[in-house]
């Protein structure tokens, strides 16, 4: 279009976007964004002067429906339910779906332990310490959101208290064996949680498969002594579900029975000799010792009640005769008479024996 002289140049005509069309608009920061361009509301020449205009606003965000929480899952973070005394454990409670925020509550035997609030659906972690056997009871957790007054409960968990095993004892009914003899070995750990697994060794080589005992009983292995190499060093090992708790017994050795045969015969012979001596002494007491003691006691120096000879008693006093009468049967005329003679201590002259006749009166 040619320019007319004397008129200022006109700006180029820019067509306006029709109402309701999208166009790029520039923000205060200089960035352009896509959206609905604002359109001025003008009244046309045919519009009535009192006409009112209405504006429809549309939002790009959509209203989301609240979801109900799913049942939470309670799991041990350490991966096992076996615990020991004074051990720290962690339980995780988590609902996979639902509308946050979520309130998690941990229970032990239906008693409230702790409560945690989460703004999202991330798991809640509950830290516990096993101080006694009472802390290994049943655990549950409950998840509850703001849209429902009723919570959802998880599965239950029960801890198992593990007691470390004590040092096992290796024993056998006999410590001596001969070639060609069957022997047994027993291994037992007095303390520790069941089950306990035992393994027998000869030196460093295992001589038996693992023996799992569900009761407090000894594991037994049977051996055959075939050669002198079987009189080696034996041990046993015990372990249970407690981590890093393996115990070994003291060593045990069998002794060849022939090595002590001579000493055993000597001990047996000395024992028999001593026994025979004791028996002989016991038999001699009633037959020799007691009669001899009675005979000595019978010879006592007491006055006789019988008659004694007094011949030359007035002329010489170099001896004194005592007579003791032994009673005999009444029908006999004579009795036995025991005469005791005491010599004169000064002259010590020999005296003849004196016999006295005793008259028995009926």
């Amino acid at each position: 279009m040619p320019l007319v002289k004397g008129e200022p140049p006109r700006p180029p005509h820019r067509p306006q976007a029709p109402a309701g069309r999208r166009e790029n608009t520039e923000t205060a920061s200089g960035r352009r964004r896509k959206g609905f361009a604002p359109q001025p509301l003008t009244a046309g020449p045919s519009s009535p002067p009192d006409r009112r205009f209405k504006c429809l606003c549309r939002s790009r965000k959509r209203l989301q429906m609240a979801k109900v929480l799913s049942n939470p899952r309670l799991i041990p973070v350490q991966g096992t339910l076996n615990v020991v005394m004074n051990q720290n454990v962690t339980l995780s409670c988590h609902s996979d779906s639902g509308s946050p925020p979520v309130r998690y509550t941990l229970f032990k035997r239906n008693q409230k332990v702790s409560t945690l609030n989460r703004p999202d659906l991330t798991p809640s972690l509950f830290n516990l310490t096993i101080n006694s056997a009472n802390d290994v009871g049943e655990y549950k957790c409950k998840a509850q959101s703001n849209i429902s007054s009723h919570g959802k409960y998880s599965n239950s968990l029960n801890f198992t208290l593990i007691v470390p095993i004590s040092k096992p004892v290796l024993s056998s009914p006999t410590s001596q064996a001969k070639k060609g003899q069957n022997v047994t070995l027993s291994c037992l750990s007095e303390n520790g949680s069941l089950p306990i697994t035992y393994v027998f060794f000869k030196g460093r080589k295992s001589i038996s498969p693992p023996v799992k005992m569900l009761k407090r009983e000894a594991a037994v292995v049977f051996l055959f002594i075939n050669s002198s190499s079987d009189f080696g060093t034996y041990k046993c090992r015990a372990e249970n579900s407690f981590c890093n708790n393996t115990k070994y017994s003291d060593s045990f050795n069998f002794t060849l029975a022939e090595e002590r045969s001579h000493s055993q015969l000597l001990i047996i012979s000395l024992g028999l000799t001593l026994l025979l001596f004791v028996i002989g002494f016991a038999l001699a007491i009633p037959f020799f010792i007691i009669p001899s003691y009675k005979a000595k006691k019978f010879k006592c120096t007491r006055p006789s009640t019988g008659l004694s000879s007094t011949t030359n008693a007035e002329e010489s006093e170099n001896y004194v005769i005592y007579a003791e009468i032994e009673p005999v049967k009444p029908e006999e005329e004579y009795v036995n008479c025991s005469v005791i003679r005491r010599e004169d201590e000064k002259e010590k002259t020999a005296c003849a024996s004196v016999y006295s006749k005793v008259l028995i009166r009926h």
Side-chain angles (χ1 to χ4, degrees), residues 2 13 20 36 58 76 85 98 116 122 124 144 172 179 199 218 325 338:
H13 176 71
F36 291 94
R58 296 178 180 178
M85 201 69 68
L116 296 175
T122 56
S124 289
Q144 186 177 359
S172 177
K179 293 182 180 180
V199 180
I325 301 174
S338 177

Side-chain angles (χ1 to χ4, degrees), residues 57-293:
C57 297
R58 296 178 180 178
S59 175
R60 298 181 64 184
K61 295 182 179 180
R62 296 180 179 179
L63 181 64
Q64 296 180 355
M65 297 296 294
K67 296 182 179 179
V68 180
L69 289 173
S70 61
N71 288 84
R73 292 182 298 113
L74 184 65
I75 58 175
V77 176
Q78 62 271 12
T80 178
L81 293 174
N82 296 331
V83 295
V84 297
M85 201 69 68
N86 301 323
Q87 179 180 346
N88 295 323
V89 295
T90 302
L91 295 179
S92 172
C93 186
H94 177 225
S95 290
D96 295 328
S97 62
S99 297
V102 184
R103 181 186 299 110
Y104 294 100
T105 305
L106 182 66
F107 295 89
K108 182 181 73 173
R109 296 192 185 95
N110 299 325
Q111 293 183 359
K112 180 179 176 180
V113 177
S114 180
T115 300
L116 296 175
N117 295 318
R118 301 298 299 174
D120 48 22
L121 293 179
T122 56
S124 289
L125 301 179
F126 296 94
N127 297 318
L128 305 172
T129 302
I130 306 299
N131 293 320
S132 64
N134 188 40
D135 295 330
V136 296
E138 181 185 29
Y139 288 87
K140 284 185 178 182
C141 73
K142 183 179 75 171
Q144 186 177 359
S145 63
N146 294 334
I147 65 173
S148 176
S149 59
H150 301 287
K152 297 293 185 67
Y153 286 89
S154 70
N155 56 299
S156 61
L157 290 181
N158 288 277
F159 290 104
T160 301
L161 186 62
I162 303 299
V163 179
I165 59 174
S166 59
K167 184 178 181 179
V169 177
L170 183 64
S171 61
S172 177
T174 177
S175 61
Q176 298 179 356
K178 300 178 180 180
K179 293 182 180 180
Q181 181 180 349
N182 293 316
V183 294
T184 59
L185 285 174
S186 301
C187 186
L188 176 63
S189 183
E190 294 290 344
N191 299 317
S193 299
L194 299 173
I196 300 178
T197 302
Y198 298 94
V199 180
F200 293 86
F201 295 88
K202 177 187 170 185
R204 295 187 177 183
K205 182 180 178 181
S206 173
I207 58 174
S208 72
V211 182
K212 191 174 185 179
M213 303 300 297
L214 301 178
K215 297 182 179 180
R216 191 72 61 185
E217 297 177 350
V220 180
V221 65
F222 298 93
L223 303 175
F224 179 73
I225 305 300
N226 190 27
S227 62
S228 58
S229 62
D230 295 329
F231 295 92
T233 300
Y234 293 87
K235 285 188 177 182
C236 71
R237 183 185 68 195
E239 58 185 358
N240 60 1
S241 56
F242 188 87
C243 297
N244 301 324
N245 185 43
T246 300
K247 299 291 182 65
Y248 286 86
S249 69
D250 293 331
S251 59
F252 183 89
N253 294 80
F254 287 103
T255 304
L256 188 62
E258 285 78 6
E259 294 179 357
R260 295 186 178 181
S261 59
H262 299 290
S263 60
Q264 289 181 351
L265 291 176
L266 180 61
I267 293 174
I268 293 174
S269 61
L270 290 177
L272 291 177
T273 303
L274 181 61
L275 181 61
L276 292 175
F277 176 78
V278 172
I279 293 175
F281 182 77
L283 294 176
I285 291 176
F287 291 98
F288 297 98
I289 299 178
I290 295 179
S292 176
Y293 175 76

